[in-house]
Amino acid sequence: MRKGFVFFLLFFILAVSAVVYFFVDRWIESAIETSIESVTGAKAEIDDLHLSFIPLEITWKRLQIANPYNTKTNALETGKVKFGVDFNQLLRKKIIIERIDVDGLQILSKRATDGALPDEERKKSTFYRAEKSFTQSYRKAFDELMENVPRFDLNDIKRNFNPDSLIKLLDLQTYYYADSLGKKVAETSGQWNDIVNQYKRNKNKLIEQLEEIKKIDPKSLNNAQNILAAIEKADKGYQALKQIKTEYEERFDEIKREAMYYKNAFDTLRKISSEDFEKLKRMARLPDIKSPKLAPVIIGNEIQERAMNYIAYAELINASVQKYKPEPDYEKPPRFEGQNIEFPAEGRYPDLWIKKIKVNGGNPGGGIFVGEGIIENVSDNQNLTGEPITFKLEGELSNSRRVLISGTIERRNFRKTDKYTVELRGVPVGKIKLGAKKFLPAEINSALLSTKADIFINENNLNVILDNTFSNMILFFEKQPESIVERIVYNALNNINNLSATLRFWINGGKYDISLGTNLDEEIAAGVRKSIGQEVERLKSTLKERFDKIVAAKRAELEQIYREKVVPVEEQIDKYKDLLENYDKLIEEKKKELNRRLEEEKKGFLEKQLNKFIK
């Protein structure tokens, strides 16, 4: 019986060991893939993962993580990867890795299959659920930039220029502001008049008392009793005055403040009118002659795609590396129930800490070649490691191509700050479209590209500066220039070998903006000013004249309301405040006279009594 049991137990152990031996690699491989996919929302695939137990070590031949923005490319691809795990910490449910060796790192490499996940899985990912405000705001800002590019065909501008129609189409905020202000003045002036009328009624009662006080002649009062009665009457008048002053001066001051607000509203109206006119100019698409913004139509589409890649990567990392969140506050357990008390321990570890990732070599066929580099302190709790995530990767090829990628990801002490720098030098590029269909379409057939991208993220604020230089260009124009400005741009492009473009995009406090310029801007601007500047300025003056006429009429209407509703109340209040001050002085003076007369009466009475005593 015992022997049979021993054989059964031995068979069971061998069976479990066989299962572990043949299937544990696949279990770990699947767990890592699932973990990555739950963050990115795109496929992760590991080839030939192997686990060895002595020492505890994992290796694989290849890892592909699909790009969630373009699932036909990889966000990241590696060759052979090898790393060991701290077995002691693993028993404590913590994954601590001293070093990972990565061979053949590639970025944006092409995939043989689509890396998209089913929608239900993709929507559960950290990246999908994160607000992708950076890329959405960038697309919106760039679309607005392209929409607002002015026309430069003078004949076309004149043909479509109709100031009155444009003004009718514009949703003038000046109108809304002036109308709402006029209604508010009418409403509050009614309340003011109620206050003023109530004051008038109380003032009339006060005047009756004051007239009685004014009739008092201290010299005619011949005894202390009459004088004290007169003082009491003056005090009652003073108390009535004090009550009115306390009650109405605060209201009068409030009316004066509101009146000052309406007076200052004319400055606000001027500012809103100025903003309306800027919108009107954009609708008219009249070019800015001082610094015409032609960079978007020359190279906008090409730069847009390149900037989008960098911003998308930054947002992917920003969403994936979560900010540290403290554990929930301690809750007191019910009385008489036990509790677990955790004592502080030195050398605490986060649940995940990869201390160093060493990147060795690279694949020249990759989207971006990376030679070697270091990634340090990848963890799920930087407050415990005391270090941010840092990385620096660089590489070089025989034809002078060079890449440098560096950055810092800070999540300590509840902060969320990312800094990234990417530099590419001497990268051969194929065909690149320049211009637009309706504005001098052209194509770069061959060039070397050098790029530098600086990205800074602080919580929900973003600042991106992207510099691109195309050198050794071979340029082909799809058609000959037709308009004056097309000829200016044609001559500028035809005489250069290098084209530089700088894009800036920033989000601050939820507001975003974008700008794009090239090294040809000043040369093109000078040509535009010389050729069509005078005529464009004349059209602008015509538009401004029509607009100012409409705004002036609306302003005059508001000023009339101000003169009728606000100014009279202000003038009345000033008079009333002066009147109250005069009444105050009158009563004070009368009380002083009565008190002096009382002192005289007291003195005379004492003298009479003293004389009687002496006699």
Side-chain angles (χ1 to χ4, degrees), residues 154-187:
L154 197 55
N155 293 325
D156 185 43
I157 291 171
K158 288 180 180 179
R159 186 168 51 253
N160 293 284
F161 183 74
N162 188 327
D164 296 325
S165 297
L166 288 168
I167 291 169
K168 286 179 182 178
L169 289 171
L170 179 64
D171 189 16
L172 284 175
Q173 294 304 306
T174 305
Y175 273 8
Y176 291 122
Y177 183 76
D179 288 343
S180 64
L181 198 64
K183 290 176 183 176
K184 192 173 181 181
V185 169
E187 181 183 334

Side-chain angles (χ1 to χ4, degrees), residues 392-395 402-406 421-425:
K392 185 175 182 181
L393 308 167
E394 58 185 323
R402 185 169 179 79
V403 61
L404 172 64
I405 305 172
S406 62
T421 297
V422 180
E423 290 186 61
L424 299 172
R425 299 178 199 165

Side-chain angles (χ1 to χ4, degrees), residues 2-163:
R2 289 181 181 176
K3 185 184 286 187
F5 176 75
V6 170
F7 279 121
F8 173 77
L9 182 61
L10 181 60
F11 174 78
F12 178 77
I13 292 172
L14 288 173
V16 170
S17 299
V19 169
V20 169
Y21 180 80
F22 288 108
F23 294 103
V24 71
D25 290 353
R26 184 56 201 149
W27 289 341
I28 295 172
E29 187 178 298
S30 178
I32 295 174
E33 289 172 346
T34 301
S35 178
I36 294 171
E37 289 173 354
S38 70
V39 173
T40 64
K43 278 186 181 179
E45 296 162 316
I46 296 176
D47 296 340
D48 297 333
L49 183 142
H50 178 67
L51 170 69
S52 60
F53 290 95
I54 305 175
L56 188 58
E57 191 173 79
I58 296 174
T59 61
W60 63 67
K61 288 186 178 179
R62 187 188 188 195
L63 165 66
Q64 295 183 86
I65 303 175
N67 180 0
Y69 285 106
N70 178 5
T71 53
K72 293 183 179 179
T73 64
N74 284 316
L76 182 144
E77 180 181 351
T78 74
K80 183 180 178 182
V81 173
K82 176 181 177 182
F83 60 94
V85 181
D86 188 324
F87 183 75
N88 291 328
Q89 293 299 326
L90 192 62
L91 296 176
R92 297 181 174 90
K93 299 182 180 180
K94 297 182 183 295
I95 301 173
I96 309 300
I97 300 171
E98 290 292 332
R99 171 168 163 168
I100 297 179
D101 286 297
V102 178
D103 292 333
L105 179 67
Q106 300 178 60
I107 299 172
L108 293 179
S109 59
K110 292 182 179 179
R111 292 178 56 88
T113 59
D114 194 333
L117 288 175
D119 274 354
E120 60 272 15
E121 293 182 36
R122 181 174 60 87
K123 290 177 180 178
K124 294 177 184 177
S125 68
T126 300
F127 183 60
Y128 181 87
R129 287 184 283 109
E131 289 187 15
K132 292 181 272 297
S133 58
F134 297 157
T135 49
Q136 289 172 358
S137 296
Y138 172 71
R139 285 193 183 100
K140 189 173 181 180
F142 192 84
D143 289 344
E144 289 174 0
L145 179 71
M146 297 301 289
E147 285 173 8
N148 292 322
V149 173
R151 298 188 300 266
F152 284 93
D153 187 326
L154 197 55
N155 293 325
D156 185 43
I157 291 171
K158 288 180 180 179
R159 186 168 51 253
N160 293 284
F161 183 74
N162 188 327

Side-chain angles (χ1 to χ4, degrees), residues 204-221:
N204 292 334
K205 295 177 184 177
L206 178 63
I207 288 173
E208 290 176 8
Q209 289 180 300
L210 289 171
E211 288 301 320
E212 292 296 319
I213 293 170
K214 284 167 72 176
K215 290 177 183 177
I216 297 172
D217 182 9
K219 293 179 181 179
S220 67
L221 300 173

Side-chain angles (χ1 to χ4, degrees), residues 411-466:
R411 297 292 185 273
R412 287 176 295 174
N413 302 321
F414 313 108
R415 289 179 293 179
K416 193 171 185 180
T417 303
D418 294 0
K419 296 179 183 177
Y420 310 107
T421 297
V422 180
E423 290 186 61
L424 299 172
R425 299 178 199 165
V427 178
V429 292
K431 294 182 179 181
I432 295 173
K433 290 286 186 182
L434 296 182
K437 289 182 180 179
K438 295 183 179 180
F439 186 86
L440 198 63
E443 186 177 83
I444 297 175
N445 285 334
S446 177
L448 292 177
L449 171 65
S450 293
T451 297
K452 183 180 180 186
D454 288 303
I455 301 174
F456 177 76
I457 301 173
N458 182 14
E459 293 296 339
N460 294 319
N461 297 329
L462 172 73
N463 192 7
V464 178
I465 301 176
L466 177 63

